[in-house]
Amino acid sequence: MRKLQVIFCIVCVAFMVAAILVGSYAHNLVIALVLCFGAIVFGSAMFFVRREANRREEEEALKNKPDFMNSPAPSAQKKDEPPKDE
């Protein structure tokens, strides 16, 4: 998901640069506005993907969070600390 977010960000910036160049050199307002709209669409897609990725990460963190019924894995103990004898 993070790769898709980076791709949307790069495409959004490319659309904005193209809109600035078209607006300043070609003086074509319609094409510049269409390019700005494309930048808004890809920027929105970037934030949507970011929100979904953060939601999934939070769900995984809550799922793997140890509690009194779900103790942490034995590999999660410190390496310096010897195993506790009961």
Side-chain angles (χ1 to χ4, degrees):
M1 292 296 271
R2 297 292 179 187
K3 292 178 184 178
L4 193 61
Q5 181 182 350
V6 170
I7 290 170
F8 282 147
C9 180
I10 292 170
V11 172
C12 176
V13 170
F15 267 90
M16 284 307 297
V17 168
I20 291 170
L21 292 176
V22 166
S24 63
Y25 293 120
H27 302 289
N28 193 342
L29 182 62
V30 174
I31 295 175
L33 288 176
V34 168
L35 290 171
C36 285
F37 180 72
I40 290 170
V41 168
F42 281 105
S44 299
M46 176 188 65
F47 284 113
F48 176 74
V49 168
R50 178 180 179 187
R51 187 181 72 209
E52 288 298 314
N54 287 343
R55 184 184 57 81
R56 285 185 183 174
E57 285 180 3
E58 288 174 2
E59 285 178 0
E60 285 295 321
L62 289 175
K63 185 190 303 182
N64 296 330
K65 182 179 178 183
D67 59 3
F68 71 97
M69 292 295 285
N70 183 16
S71 61
S75 63
Q77 291 180 351
K78 294 181 181 178
K79 300 292 183 192
D80 302 335
E81 189 177 299
K84 295 179 181 178
D85 294 329
E86 293 183 19

